[in-house]
Amino acid sequence: MPKTTKKPIISTKDVHKKYHLGRNNFVHALRGVDLEINEGEFVALMGPSGSGKSTLLHVLGCLDGVDSGTVNINGYNVTNMSGSRLTKIRATQLGFVFQGFNLVPILTALENVILAVEYAGKVGRREKVKLSREALERVGLADRARHRPSELSGGEQQRVAIARSLVNNPRIILADEPTGNLDSKTSDEIISMMRELNKTTGQTFIIVTHDTDVGKRCDRIIHIKDGMVI
Ligand SMILES: Nc1ncnc2c1ncn2[C@@H]1O[C@H](COP(=O)(O)OP(=O)(O)OP(=O)(O)O)[C@@H](O)[C@H]1O
Ligand SMILES: [Mg+2]
């Protein structure tokens, strides 16, 4: 089975990011972030509220650009990449899981996953359904495929979101407080499931969390404070 290699799949060098609020006002959210994460690692990103965790995750996920520094994702220098190439990288190399699940409420579990397949490119209807069913099976939700989010528990909704994040077989999965809305038992199940996926597929996981129990179950904890890795 794939193990952690010494090859960095993510690296950043001196990354700065400011959020501008009007002409002379800004928040300096990232202040020189240097980071290396190896392929197959299962890491936690921890730090106080407002320290820049979500900002960093958005940068690593190519959802947001930087003001200076460089960002490399799976061999691509994404720092100054154009919108359409970034969209492609986001859809094929990266999976996202959020605290609030972010499922489309009027779609079934299966349809939510299918949406991610469609986003990644052209695949026939049959193939889309097949891939999406397989992803739901991998998170143990094959029997909930026709349920809408409101007909699922929080833990189940998060598992649908995880199925959606992995359906295109990305090398990297970024999760922003994936257990933040779940009780401790469900939280434990979700982390166990992610760990299992990490072991079997060798996918790299970066998990933002405030929960020290989650941190303990990771290979490594990256601490961030005031926009810097410490
Ligand atoms: N869209 C935005 N516009 C302006 N400022 C922002 C924006 N997003 C975040 N910030 C600011 O940037 C800093 C870092 O925010 P970020 O959301 O990355 O923190 P965080 O570590 O994820 O915090 P939390 O644990 O509360 O989620 C904070 O000071 C925040 O107020
Ligand atoms: Mg955050």
Side-chain angles (χ1 to χ4, degrees):
M1 278 298 111
K3 285 223 299 252
T4 302
T5 66
K6 279 286 166 222
K7 194 170 127 236
I9 192 163
I10 291 176
S11 68
T12 71
K13 195 98 203 103
D14 200 23
V15 162
H16 285 259
K17 176 162 187 68
K18 292 176 185 151
Y19 290 109
H20 291 275
L21 314 153
R23 274 165 74 89
N24 298 315
N25 197 6
F26 61 85
V27 176
H28 200 162
L30 299 179
R31 302 168 175 252
V33 173
D34 291 316
L35 195 65
E36 273 203 353
I37 294 171
N38 291 327
E39 190 162 15
E41 268 199 295
F42 193 86
V43 300
L45 183 58
M46 299 186 78
S49 182
S51 57
K53 303 180 298 296
S54 295
T55 303
L56 180 56
L57 214 66
H58 286 178
V59 164
L60 299 181
C62 307
L63 293 165
D64 224 341
V66 301
D67 293 312
S68 62
T70 55
V71 182
N72 272 276
I73 303 293
N74 203 13
Y76 297 92
N77 180 349
V78 299
T79 323
N80 296 313
M81 209 176 256
S82 71
S84 59
R85 286 188 70 203
L86 271 186
T87 302
K88 187 83 189 157
I89 288 188
R90 242 184 346 251
T92 57
Q93 313 278 327
L94 297 155
F96 298 93
V97 180
F98 303 95
Q99 177 172 4
F101 321 136
N102 294 16
L103 299 174
V104 180
I106 59 164
L107 299 182
T108 65
L110 184 66
E111 289 163 347
N112 266 280
V113 181
I114 288 175
L115 210 56
V117 183
E118 289 172 347
Y119 190 55
K122 278 201 224 107
V123 185
R125 171 82 197 158
R126 236 195 227 168
E127 183 69 4
K128 277 193 280 201
V129 174
K130 180 172 166 281
L131 290 171
S132 302
R133 280 197 187 284
E134 281 167 5
L136 283 176
E137 267 165 38
R138 281 165 71 190
V139 300
L141 275 188
D143 59 342
R144 296 287 192 275
R146 298 166 75 97
H147 288 232
R148 295 212 162 76
S150 62
E151 298 159 349
L152 295 167
S153 72
E156 288 170 344
Q157 289 181 60
Q158 195 57 303
R159 285 199 268 162
V160 175
I162 293 168
R164 179 181 60 184
S165 78
L166 55 79
V167 67
N168 295 318
N169 208 16
R171 296 313 301 146
I172 301 164
I173 294 187
L174 304 168
D176 198 348
E177 301 192 47
T179 62
N181 285 357
L182 304 174
D183 61 58
S184 58
K185 181 170 165 283
T186 312
S187 161
D188 209 55
E189 287 166 7
I190 290 289
I191 296 299
S192 298
M193 212 189 68
M194 287 181 159
R195 264 254 78 137
E196 195 53 39
L197 289 166
N198 162 258
K199 282 206 188 108
T200 52
T201 65
Q203 282 162 319
T204 306
F205 280 73
I206 303 170
I207 302 170
V208 170
T209 184
H210 284 284
D211 185 341
T212 47
D213 287 335
V214 172
K216 277 182 203 150
R217 302 193 53 195
C218 295
D219 296 330
R220 173 158 77 104
I221 300 177
I222 295 169
H223 292 277
I224 175 165
K225 199 177 169 220
D226 300 328
M228 281 178 288
V229 170
I230 52 170

